[in-house]
Amino acid sequence: MTRAFLFPGQGAQTIGMGRDLAISYPQARAVFDEVDAALGEKLSTLIWEGEQDQLTLTRNAQPALMATSMAVMAALQAEGVSVTTAAFVAGHSLGEYSALAAAGALGIGDAARLLRLRGEAMQAAVPAGQGAMAAILGLDFDAVAAIAAEAAQDQVCAAANDNDPAQVVISGHEAAVLRAVEIAKEKGAKRALLLPVSAPFHCALMAPAADAMADALAEVDLRAPQVPLVGNVTACAGSDPAQIKARLIEQVTGRVRWRESIGWMAENGVTETWEIGAGKALSGMVKRIAREVETRSIATADEVRAAAESLRNG
C-alpha cells in the first residue's frame, strides 16, 4: 500500500475529541499540554468539557482540530508508526497546518499560535452578517463556478471548496451567495444550503486575513516537511519551505482544490488514505473522488491500535 495522511478542516470538531487518546497515551496528552501552553489558556478543557458553540468559534476550532490530529500522530508514533510511512500529507484548509506539523515542518506551538491568529483574522475580515457560504450538491465544479459568477453582480461570490465531484462550496457576500443558492436550485442542484459558518472563507473578502497571515508566517521557522505536502492551492506535491509559506498565504483567499488533490495522489500511486483526527468527512470525499483508494479514519485509541496493527501485519 502507498498511503497518504489526510488532516481534517473546520466542521469536524466535537466536544470530547481526543480525550481517550490523552488518557491512553502520555504522548498525546503532551500535545494538548503544549497547545495549552502556546495559547496561554486551557483549550483542552474546552475541547473535552466545553460547549459545542464555543468550540465551533473559528478562533477555537482551528487550533483544537490541529491539536487533536497531532494527538493522533503522537499516539501512532508511540505505536511505532512514523509520518514517513506515508508518501504524502495533505490537509483540508486549516488541516494543511496539521499536515505540516505532522511532517515536522512546523512546531506544534507555532501551529497553534498561527491557527489562533488565522481564526481571529478570518473572523475579523468581514463584519458579521455580511458574508456567507453555501454547499451546492449534485453539480460539478464548472457548473457551480458559472453559477457563482452569474450571482456575483458586482459583489464577491466564488467557488471556495472543490470538495468532490458533486460537492462544491461557494463563498462571498451574503446577498450574492443567496442568489447563487436559488440559481443552483433552478439549474438542478440536488441540494443548495447555507452553511453555519461565521465568515466567508476562501474568497477575496478574506484579503485582510491573508495580509495578517503573511506577517505572522514571516516570523515563523518553517522547515522542509519530511513527507511532501500536497497543497490546497496547487493540488500537487511540494517540499520547498518558501513556496509552502507563500501558498499558505494564498490559501486564505484561494480555492481549496481538494478533488484535484486527491485525484493527483491517486494518479501518483496512492492506494490508501488515513484520515488523522476528528470526523470522517475526508474519507467520504476520497471515496467519491477515487473509488479504488481505500480509506481509514483514525480518531480514537482503538483506531490508533488497529491502524498500527494493520501495518505490522503487512
Side-chain angles (χ1 to χ4, degrees):
M1 288 293 219
T2 299
R3 71 188 52 81
F5 286 178
L6 309 180
F7 297 84
Q10 208 159 326
Q13 66 277 355
T14 57
I15 294 296
M17 62 184 183
R19 189 195 322 228
D20 84 313
L21 290 166
I23 293 169
S24 300
Y25 294 95
Q27 299 89 339
R29 176 72 212 211
V31 169
F32 288 106
D33 289 344
E34 185 172 354
V35 170
D36 287 350
L39 297 180
E41 65 182 68
K42 283 282 190 179
L43 185 65
S44 58
T45 301
L46 172 61
I47 296 170
W48 297 333
E49 303 170 16
E51 298 296 327
Q52 184 69 26
D53 61 341
Q54 290 300 305
L55 181 60
T56 297
L57 291 175
T58 302
R59 71 186 301 274
N60 293 327
Q62 296 202 19
L65 285 161
M66 182 278 299
T68 303
S69 288
M70 291 305 298
V72 174
M73 288 301 303
L76 285 169
Q77 184 78 42
E79 294 286 353
V81 180
S82 165
V83 69
T84 56
T85 61
F88 304 104
V89 294
H92 194 282
S93 190
L94 80 90
E96 199 153 77
Y97 288 79
S98 307
L100 288 166
L106 195 59
I108 290 173
D110 283 338
R113 287 184 288 268
L114 285 168
L115 286 171
R116 168 57 58 83
L117 173 65
R118 184 177 183 267
E120 292 176 342
M122 292 172 99
Q123 185 64 61
V126 179
Q130 292 190 15
M133 299 182 77
I136 312 298
L137 308 181
L139 297 175
D140 66 18
F141 173 78
D142 290 340
V144 175
I147 288 167
E150 180 182 342
Q153 297 180 16
D154 297 323
Q155 291 184 308
V156 172
C157 188
N161 298 349
D162 181 8
N163 283 335
D164 66 42
Q167 183 192 127
V168 182
V169 173
I170 58 173
S171 183
H173 286 107
E174 183 179 43
V177 171
L178 288 171
R179 286 193 293 269
V181 165
E182 293 309 310
I183 295 168
K185 290 175 181 176
E186 293 167 7
K187 292 186 179 292
K190 289 181 180 177
R191 293 183 74 192
L193 63 159
L194 288 175
L195 296 177
V197 296
S198 54
F201 308 134
H202 299 292
C203 74
L205 296 177
M206 289 288 108
D211 292 341
M213 293 311 297
D215 291 341
L217 284 161
E219 302 299 319
V220 169
D221 177 28
L222 195 149
R223 302 168 291 281
Q226 294 172 268
V227 175
L229 173 79
V230 178
N232 286 185
V233 170
T234 61
C236 63
S239 296
D240 178 76
Q243 291 185 5
I244 289 172
K245 276 192 179 184
R247 300 296 89 79
L248 287 173
I249 297 163
E250 289 179 38
Q251 186 224 61
V252 178
T253 56
R255 183 171 79 250
V256 176
R257 296 170 61 187
W258 194 252
R259 175 180 58 87
E260 294 173 89
S261 295
I262 297 300
W264 185 91
M265 285 186 267
E267 290 170 5
N268 284 272
V270 169
T271 54
E272 179 184 43
T273 61
W274 287 13
E275 185 170 2
I276 307 290
K280 298 183 178 181
L282 299 185
S283 295
M285 292 176 197
V286 170
K287 279 302 183 188
R288 292 188 288 274
I289 297 164
R291 293 179 185 174
E292 72 281 4
V293 175
E294 296 186 17
T295 61
R296 179 186 289 270
S297 300
I298 310 174
T300 67
D302 284 346
E303 288 166 347
V304 165
R305 287 187 283 266
E309 187 66 22
S310 74
L311 287 190
R312 285 193 286 268
N313 292 337

